[in-house]
Amino acid sequence: MKNNLTSSTGQLPVLAELIERRIYVIRGQKVMLDSDLAELYQVTTGNLNLAVRRNSSRFPEDFMFQLTKEEVDSLLLQIARAKPGRGGRQTAPYAFTEHGVTMLSSVLNSERAVQMSILIVRAFVKLRELLASHKELARKIERMEASQKQQTRTLEQHGSILVAVVQDIQKLKHPPITRAIGFRIPSSPKKK
């Protein structure tokens, strides 16, 4: 079975980006779906799930869980997958956490499964590091925004003080005119 994950020499040039795009957040956990893992391991989804069922004691809920109908519907909106009844799968997919992916390599017991598990775990670690750096960046941005707001308030206060000072200076330079300035020519008597 030839797919887009292997080169013509059969090597594993699977890009971390390809794996990272197949990691979803479901129930607050980063997971991969059974169908994506089956493709990466080059086995059918049915065979992967069969191996998991045969070794169910190795997959507690924090390693693997089956999606609910609502989660499947939500996932269908996010990614292009065939809907059930239209050539798609008839059962809800299973989601595997990082620990579940690691356990899969021992259950599938193939060299490819071991190599793929290593790549997948590295992708999970990279995502975790990215999320941690994003949190730190978010904190820095929040501190900068708070500082900028404080500076803006200070500038607004200084601005209103400056406006008042300028108005006072203008009053001093140009006192209000209360009478006409200049010479008056007395009106001359009219000639008859």
Side-chain angles (χ1 to χ4, degrees), residues 160-180:
S160 61
I161 291 170
L162 284 173
V163 167
V165 168
V166 167
Q167 289 173 347
D168 289 344
I169 291 172
Q170 287 175 344
K171 288 178 185 176
L172 291 175
K173 283 185 172 180
H174 306 289
I177 300 174
T178 56
R179 61 178 177 82

Side-chain angles (χ1 to χ4, degrees), residues 77-91:
L77 294 174
Q78 296 175 36
I79 56 177
R81 298 234 180 231
K83 291 186 179 182
R86 296 193 178 132
R89 60 190 299 159
Q90 301 300 311
T91 59

Side-chain angles (χ1 to χ4, degrees), residues 3-81:
N3 62 28
N4 60 347
L5 301 176
T6 58
S7 66
S8 58
T9 62
Q11 298 295 320
L12 293 172
V14 179
L15 302 173
E17 294 174 16
L18 179 66
I19 295 172
E20 290 169 13
R21 280 187 264 140
R22 294 175 181 208
I23 297 175
Y24 306 101
V25 177
I26 301 174
R27 299 182 193 176
Q29 297 183 60
K30 291 183 287 301
V31 297
M32 290 188 75
L33 299 180
D34 55 1
S35 55
D36 291 333
L37 289 166
E39 184 179 351
L40 291 170
Y41 293 139
Q42 292 186 340
V43 297
T44 65
T45 305
N47 284 341
L48 183 135
N49 289 332
L50 180 62
V52 169
R53 278 194 303 275
R54 287 180 178 161
N55 297 280
S56 60
S57 62
R58 293 184 179 200
F59 294 94
E61 267 190 42
D62 57 329
F63 280 35
M64 177 199 81
F65 55 87
Q66 191 167 22
L67 301 183
T68 64
K69 181 178 180 347
E70 293 79 24
E71 290 168 336
V72 172
D73 292 342
S74 175
L75 197 59
L76 286 173
L77 294 174
Q78 296 175 36
I79 56 177
R81 298 234 180 231

Side-chain angles (χ1 to χ4, degrees), residues 109-175:
N109 198 19
S110 73
E111 184 59 32
R112 175 149 181 108
V114 171
Q115 291 173 349
M116 290 309 302
S117 290
I118 291 169
L119 292 173
I120 292 168
V121 168
R122 286 181 180 156
F124 273 102
V125 169
K126 183 178 176 185
L127 282 177
R128 196 168 31 252
E129 290 170 352
L130 282 172
L131 288 173
S133 69
H134 285 301
K135 287 179 183 177
E136 181 59 30
L137 284 174
R139 281 192 289 271
K140 286 181 181 179
I141 289 171
E142 286 175 7
R143 286 192 296 259
M144 288 172 57
E145 286 176 345
S147 173
Q148 184 180 11
K149 285 179 183 177
Q150 179 59 38
Q151 289 174 354
T152 302
R153 282 192 293 266
T154 303
L155 286 174
E156 287 172 352
Q157 291 169 350
H158 288 267
S160 61
I161 291 170
L162 284 173
V163 167
V165 168
V166 167
Q167 289 173 347
D168 289 344
I169 291 172
Q170 287 175 344
K171 288 178 185 176
L172 291 175
K173 283 185 172 180
H174 306 289

